[in-house]
Amino acid sequence: MAMPATGAKHRFEMEYAINASLKILFPYIASASGLAQWFCDDVRLDPDHRLDMVWDKQSHYAEIATQRPGRSIRYVFLDENKRPLSDASYLDFTLESSRITDEVFLRVTDYSEHLDEQERLELWEGLVGKLREQVGG
């Protein structure tokens, strides 16, 4: 089996049950201050409404591509000059609630160059664990 070429993107999708309401959770996935509490070291919003997400003192620029208030948001990553990329990496966060069980789920779709599925699974388990600590769920 041939290995994908460097730069090839892979889609990773997982659902996590979180013991908190949609109203409490949404600001954690859709605001700079909320994201900075669990997702990255810091998040700044520039005057053009682009996000500067900081991990390990490195900036990663993104913009909101789509948003359904209270439900979902997609961040599309930009190049270092804050310009769109073709086949850009993106993160999609969707909140869903079960009418039957009243459980709330966060579905994460991570479309990026990460190759190791196990590494990505562990990364998201850790991030969602931090989110659960923030919301008490």
Side-chain angles (χ1 to χ4, degrees):
M1 184 172 133
M3 289 300 292
T6 303
K9 301 281 195 312
H10 302 275
R11 184 182 166 110
F12 173 85
E13 192 169 285
M14 281 295 290
E15 260 188 21
Y16 301 93
I18 299 183
N19 189 18
S21 72
L22 297 175
K23 190 179 272 189
I24 289 172
L25 276 174
F26 192 71
Y28 283 93
I29 65 168
S31 71
S33 60
L35 288 166
Q37 292 184 55
W38 70 279
F39 181 65
C40 43
D41 301 333
D42 191 19
V43 182
R44 293 182 287 271
L45 200 56
D46 75 11
D48 297 323
H49 298 287
R50 289 187 199 96
L51 296 142
D52 176 1
M53 298 180 180
V54 179
W55 290 278
D56 301 323
K57 297 182 180 139
Q58 285 193 321
S59 288
H60 301 272
Y61 300 103
E63 61 187 5
I64 297 170
T66 58
Q67 180 174 350
R68 288 176 45 220
R71 287 286 175 188
S72 66
I73 192 158
R74 175 174 287 189
Y75 298 101
V76 176
F77 287 88
L78 307 167
D79 70 13
E80 60 276 355
N81 298 312
K82 301 181 185 179
R83 288 192 304 250
L85 297 158
S86 61
D87 194 33
S89 296
Y90 66 82
L91 281 172
D92 202 76
F93 296 123
T94 303
L95 298 173
E96 294 176 357
S97 58
S98 166
R99 289 194 180 105
I100 299 165
T101 63
D102 272 345
E103 281 183 296
V104 172
F105 295 91
L106 169 64
R107 184 179 335 120
V108 173
T109 305
D110 175 352
Y111 181 70
S112 63
E113 293 179 18
H114 290 275
L115 293 176
D116 188 321
E117 286 296 304
Q118 188 60 39
E119 238 176 63
R120 219 164 10 167
L121 184 64
E122 289 170 13
L123 170 76
W124 281 108
E125 289 285 335
L127 290 171
V128 172
K130 283 174 69 174
L131 175 60
R132 284 184 179 124
E133 286 172 21
Q134 291 295 321
V135 298

